[in-house]
Amino acid sequence: MGQIIVEADASGPVLASAEGLSFWGGVNATTGMVIDAHHPLHGQSIAGAVLLLPTSRGSCTGSGVLLELALGGNAPVALVFRENEDILTLGALIAGRMFGKPLAVLRLSAEVWGRLAGEDHADIADRRLVAGGWTLDLAAPPTAALELSDADRAMLDGAEGEAAQLALEVICTMAAGQRATQLTDVTRAHIDGCIYASPANLTFARRMADMGGRVRVPTTMNAISVDHSNWKSQGVPPLFGTPAQKLADAYVEMGARPSFTCAPYLLEEPPALGEMIGWSESNAVIYANSVLGARTVKHPDFMDLFIALTGRAPLSGVYLDAGRCARRAVHVDLPGGYDDALWPLLGWLVGRAAPDRIPLITGLEHTAPSADDLKALCAAFGTTSAAPMLHVAGVTPEAEGALDRGADAVRLGAQDLAHAWQQFNDAPAKVDLIAFGSPHFSLSECHALDAVLAGRKRAGGTNVIATVGQQVLDAIRADGTLASLERSGVQVVPDICWCSISEPVFPTSAKVLMTNSGKYAHYAPGLSGRAVRFGSLADCAETAITGTAPDMPPPWLTS
């Protein structure tokens, strides 16, 4: 009924929500205030609380945010989940093991979790939970009899150095919590922890580099928090730019490739069907599992480096066939005449409809979505669901036969899509900034934007920025698209993404932004403090020309 996952004493007021929370984009890493404008706890502080959530959701960077909260004294004293959870659990584990800032993590049955949610205060000590006059004995932290290879045992004995030893120790601890009995080799890794979410990310990376950490498998890097080569000329303050660059450089020092993109599936030779990989970054994980058919758990920040240093990961979750089954069918009554705004809206809604399980989406069998459409779907899904993948009947490679025998079903239609559009469009119509590229724009998206702009120039006072990976920047420079976009007034920025951008690259004067990204429409109010509009790529391009967003939903949502 109750188990300790990470052991620590704790005492504090109970703060509960039936909805999962992404700490990255959802919690201020300095103060502990909930900044996710769409979350029931918005405006409340989690500092010092016994925080009850069904599980976490959203960005893998949440582990780094939790570490920063712990180092600054603004973390919850305990995290209490009713489902499996890895992102915040790992942040708590690192806070205690590496930095002497322990906080408790518990997993309770649904019945006990619900009972505790109704209490005002809770105490955790001596493997007991005490609240409201009742006491629950807690099971000890999980242990697992892992089948380790000779190389694993040598690594645990320090044969590969201190960093690899620590990395594998943590991997084995996480494997126990996931009830894994084996580890698996991975062929490649992707680092999400290179975003400068807080000083804690740099503290961690620098310590691992100084311990001699070196990656053992090909490792790419996520978008970072500055344009690595140009941040000084862009006016980014050294107080932020210098540590952000040092964080990226620490991972490069450990052998990671400076790819600096949140869309590693756009790089040459993406993972193949069935390939075991060790990726972090929520949209990348969901796309890799769902669209490519590769296999990776949604690894938290810090775990991504540990996997890269060892080439090993717990054999659990979606690494296994059974873990990839859909436990909820989401049928979509598709409105006619839809445009590309359908996919991010639908991803966000499906995530809300399946916040804790893999869904199978039906009703889209004849839509033939592009890779860019699926990218938008997966990214938006990751903001509202903890699941590491989705299936789309007739579209994604593992959809046939994916539905679990005991799965339930829900239905979504035009009214749900229209309501989501309204939630993303509660800002004034006058727009100061158009934000493209969350996740990073692909080559085809750059071409599509250039085509719809058709040589027209943006309105005065309306900034237009597209973020891309360096490989896409090189391609559009070579084929002339970059010059054409720049003539229209579009600023193309590499290395950074909208979830890590800061002023003054993010225009300081902008009060209202518009995006075609469901992911950024969800996170932008909390991350940027700006009001948000949302629309299709064409709607955003027209708004760039006129400076004014459409007041009404598109016709396909109102017919």
Side-chain angles (χ1 to χ4, degrees):
M1 294 179 69
Q3 183 172 45
I4 299 167
I5 305 300
V6 179
E7 193 159 21
D9 291 346
S11 178
V14 172
L15 180 63
S17 174
E19 187 173 317
L21 176 65
S22 173
F23 272 41
W24 171 249
V27 178
N28 184 301
T30 302
T31 66
M33 294 294 294
V34 177
I35 58 174
D36 181 344
H38 303 282
H39 197 274
L41 296 181
H42 179 246
Q44 298 188 58
S45 174
I46 64 172
V50 176
L51 180 62
L52 275 65
L53 299 169
T55 186
S56 65
R57 71 182 189 194
S59 176
C60 303
T61 307
S63 49
V65 174
L66 181 61
L67 178 58
E68 178 64 19
L69 289 168
L71 295 181
N74 291 304
V77 294
L79 295 162
V80 183
F81 303 111
R82 67 174 188 233
E83 307 286 345
N84 293 341
E85 199 286 331
D86 287 339
I87 294 174
L88 302 178
T89 298
L90 182 64
L93 186 64
I94 296 301
R97 181 169 293 196
M98 291 185 68
F99 298 98
K101 300 288 185 180
L103 58 128
V105 180
L106 307 182
R107 187 181 302 145
L108 303 181
S109 67
E111 179 184 355
V112 177
W113 189 96
R115 185 179 182 186
L116 181 59
E119 303 292 355
D120 294 326
H121 193 278
D123 296 285
I124 302 164
D126 300 324
R127 296 187 176 174
R128 287 184 175 181
L129 169 65
V130 180
W134 53 275
T135 301
L136 177 69
D137 290 331
L138 299 168
T143 58
L146 283 171
E147 298 177 18
L148 298 175
S149 68
D150 290 342
D152 291 333
R153 294 189 183 92
M155 200 178 298
L156 288 171
D157 288 338
E160 301 294 333
E162 185 182 6
Q165 181 183 34
L166 171 64
L168 194 56
E169 286 175 354
V170 173
I171 288 171
C172 291
T173 300
M174 293 295 288
Q178 297 165 9
R179 299 180 178 87
T181 59
Q182 298 178 24
L183 304 181
T184 183
D185 288 330
V186 300
T187 58
R188 63 180 89 191
H190 181 70
I191 300 293
D192 185 54
C194 51
I195 292 176
Y196 188 64
S198 67
N201 292 73
L202 177 56
T203 302
F204 167 81
R206 190 64 261 161
R207 182 169 296 189
M208 294 302 296
D210 291 343
M211 288 167 60
R214 296 295 182 272
V215 304
R216 296 169 65 91
V217 295
T219 301
T220 51
M221 291 174 63
N222 196 30
I224 57 176
S225 299
V226 291
D227 179 340
H228 192 271
S229 299
N230 301 301
W231 65 266
K232 293 179 181 177
S233 63
Q234 292 167 346
V236 175
L239 190 65
F240 178 81
T242 298
Q245 183 174 23
K246 285 183 176 180
L247 174 60
D249 292 344
Y251 282 103
V252 174
E253 180 183 330
M254 288 186 276
R257 171 186 170 186
S259 51
F260 302 156
T261 180
C262 53
Y265 42 83
L266 297 178
L267 296 169
E268 69 281 0
E269 298 182 5
L273 181 70
E275 183 178 346
M276 299 290 216
I277 63 176
W279 277 15
S280 189
E281 212 296 329
S282 59
N283 100 84
V285 167
I286 296 166
Y287 190 95
N289 282 313
S290 307
V291 181
L292 302 180
R295 298 195 171 199
T296 176
V297 168
K298 191 166 78 170
H299 294 296
D301 287 12
F302 311 142
M303 190 73 165
D304 49 11
L305 177 62
F306 294 153
I307 290 171
L309 295 178
T310 62
R312 303 283 272 165
L315 186 61
S316 63
V318 291
Y319 283 123
L320 302 169
D321 289 345
R324 300 174 76 83
C325 292
R327 294 194 294 119
R328 178 161 292 158
V330 181
H331 183 77
V332 180
D333 295 315
L334 194 65
Y338 62 85
D339 58 29
D340 55 277
L342 167 72
W343 303 101
L345 288 174
L346 186 57
W348 191 79
L349 284 170
V350 172
R352 292 178 69 88
D356 59 354
R357 63 196 65 194
I358 296 170
L360 170 68
I361 308 172
T362 62
L364 307 179
E365 288 82 351
H366 303 295
T367 56
S370 68
D372 294 326
D373 294 332
L374 293 173
K375 176 163 74 83
L377 176 81
C378 291
F381 173 77
T383 66
T384 50
S385 179
M389 69 179 298
L390 52 80
H391 300 284
V392 184
V395 176
T396 57
E398 299 174 76
E400 186 175 355
L403 194 63
D404 186 83
R405 188 171 296 176
D408 56 9
V410 298
R411 204 173 192 103
L412 298 172
Q415 186 174 0
D416 302 294
L417 291 161
H419 183 62
W421 190 94
Q422 293 287 358
Q423 285 189 266
F424 286 162
N425 282 278
D426 60 355
K430 176 68 173 69
V431 173
D432 310 300
L433 169 66
I434 310 294
F436 292 115
S438 179
H440 274 165
F441 249 25
S442 66
L443 177 60
S444 55
E445 285 175 306
C446 291
H447 289 162
L449 176 59
D450 187 45
V452 75
L453 287 172
R456 296 174 296 168
K457 191 168 179 60
R458 65 175 175 86
T462 300
N463 295 276
V464 185
I465 301 176
T467 62
V468 298
Q470 187 65 52
Q471 84 285 358
V472 170
L473 181 63
D474 291 342
I476 61 173
R477 181 180 287 118
D479 70 11
T481 303
L482 176 61
S484 180
L485 288 171
E486 289 178 338
R487 285 193 295 271
S488 291
V490 180
Q491 181 184 2
V492 181
V493 183
D495 301 348
I496 57 178
C497 183
W498 288 99
C499 287
S500 61
I501 199 168
S502 63
E503 297 179 1
V505 180
F506 187 112
T508 305
S509 60
K511 298 295 186 292
V512 178
L513 68 87
M514 186 174 184
T515 182
N516 70 330
S517 164
K519 177 178 181 176
Y520 195 51
H522 178 92
Y523 286 135
L527 288 173
S528 72
R530 268 67 168 197
V532 176
R533 304 283 305 200
F534 167 83
S536 66
L537 185 142
D539 285 340
C540 289
E542 290 302 317
T543 301
I545 301 303
T546 65
T548 303
D551 278 331
M552 297 296 293
W556 62 272
L557 282 179
T558 57
S559 61

